[in-house]
Amino acid sequence: GIQVEQSPPDLILQEGANSTLRCNFSDSVNNLQWFHQNPWGQLINLFYIPSGTKQNGRLSATTVATERYSLLYISSSQTTDSGVYFCAVVYAGAGSYQLTFGKGTKLSVIP
Amino acid sequence: SAVISQKPSRDICQRGTSLTIQCQVDSQVTMMFWYRQQPGQSLTLIATANQGSEATYESGFVIDKFPISRPNLTFSTLTVSNMSPEDSSIYLCSVDGGSGPQHFGDGTRLSIL
C-alpha cells in the first residue's frame, strides 16, 4: 500500500517561532489532508490539499503532487498549536477511498 | 461539511465485556469508515462500512472482534467484543467526502480495566 512519512517526529518551539512540517508519500494521491489532534483526542481538519497552496490565518499548506510531498507551515506559533499534526492521503488507484495516515509530528510550543 | 455525532465520547469497561459505538451523520453518505488509534500511535483503518453490504475489514481486523452495522445511509455502529486491555484506544468514525475531504467524529476514548 501507499506509504506516508512525516518529519520531524517531534518538534519543540518557543512561542512566536515559525515551523515547517513535511509529509512525503510514495504514490499518486487524489486526496491529501492535514489534521491537528488536540490533547482531548479530537481530530481537527486543517486543510484538504491534494495539490496547490492554501492559507488559513497563521497556517498554510503546499502540496507538490508531482514530487509527492506536502508542507504545512505554522507561523507565529502559539501554545494552543501544541498537539499532534497528521498528514493523511487517499491513494489514487481504482477502488481506493480510505485515508492512510502518517505517524504524525508532535509539536510542543512553550511560552 | 458533514456533522458527525459519535457516542459514547468515553467509557471505562471491564475485560471480557463488549461495547457498541454509534456514529450518526447529518446527511446521507455512501461510505463510512472506522479507525482505531492506540495510545501514542497514528490512526489505523479497521473497516469500511457501506450501506446494504458487509463491511470490508483491513488486515489484522476480523468481524468476530469488531462487528459493524450500517442499517442506513446516516448511521453505523462498531462493536468492540470480548475486550481486553489491548483494546484501550480511541475509536473514530469518518465519512467519505466524495470529491472533498473526509470528516471525522470526535472519537470514543475507551479504557479497559
Side-chain angles (χ1 to χ4, degrees):
Chain A
I2 192 167
Q3 305 298 312
V4 182
E5 295 183 358
Q6 291 186 243
S7 61
D10 296 278
L11 185 60
I12 300 175
L13 293 178
Q14 200 77 38
E15 196 169 25
N18 303 328
S19 64
T20 300
L21 282 58
R22 187 177 180 101
C23 172
N24 292 333
F25 43 95
S26 61
D27 214 324
S28 300
V29 300
N30 55 26
N31 179 357
L32 188 146
Q33 293 180 244
W34 283 97
F35 297 91
H36 175 215
Q37 188 167 42
N38 64 25
W40 297 271
Q42 293 175 315
L43 209 58
I44 312 298
N45 266 304
L46 297 177
F47 293 103
Y48 166 72
I49 187 166
S51 64
T53 298
K54 291 185 177 179
Q55 181 158 6
N56 184 3
R58 295 181 297 104
L59 302 181
S60 65
T62 295
T63 298
V64 184
T66 53
E67 297 186 20
R68 299 180 183 169
Y69 74 88
S70 183
L71 303 173
L72 177 69
Y73 305 96
I74 304 175
S75 64
S76 304
S77 58
Q78 302 175 358
T79 56
T80 52
D81 294 331
S82 297
V84 183
Y85 289 81
F86 289 104
C87 169
V89 304
V90 175
Y91 168 56
S96 178
Y97 303 97
Q98 66 267 30
L99 283 169
T100 299
F101 281 76
K103 292 186 176 180
T105 292
K106 184 176 181 181
L107 175 64
S108 300
V109 181
I110 56 177
Chain B
S1 61
V3 177
I4 304 168
S5 300
Q6 195 172 331
K7 293 191 296 186
S9 59
R10 57 176 62 235
D11 208 339
I12 301 173
C13 300
Q14 298 294 321
R15 67 177 67 202
T17 63
S18 299
L19 178 74
T20 296
I21 302 167
Q22 300 180 2
C23 184
Q24 178 77 52
V25 190
D26 68 343
S27 58
Q28 294 185 340
V29 294
T30 303
M31 306 185 76
M32 297 179 75
F33 306 93
W34 287 98
Y35 290 83
R36 181 179 73 180
Q37 186 180 25
Q38 295 178 300
Q41 304 295 312
S42 185
L43 282 76
T44 301
L45 181 68
I46 297 172
T48 302
N50 292 326
Q51 193 267 338
S53 63
E54 292 288 330
T56 303
Y57 289 82
E58 298 299 304
S59 176
F61 298 96
V62 295
I63 187 171
D64 290 346
K65 177 66 176 178
F66 298 101
I68 288 171
S69 78
R70 183 79 199 274
N72 57 54
L73 290 174
T74 63
F75 187 78
S76 179
T77 67
L78 169 75
T79 298
V80 186
S81 303
N82 189 24
M83 290 183 285
S84 65
E86 292 72 34
D87 294 319
S88 296
S89 298
I90 300 174
Y91 293 85
L92 301 100
C93 70
S94 75
V95 300
D96 179 45
S99 59
Q102 286 193 18
H103 301 281
F104 283 77
D106 286 343
T108 296
R109 189 181 294 270
L110 184 57
S111 299
I112 315 302
L113 302 180

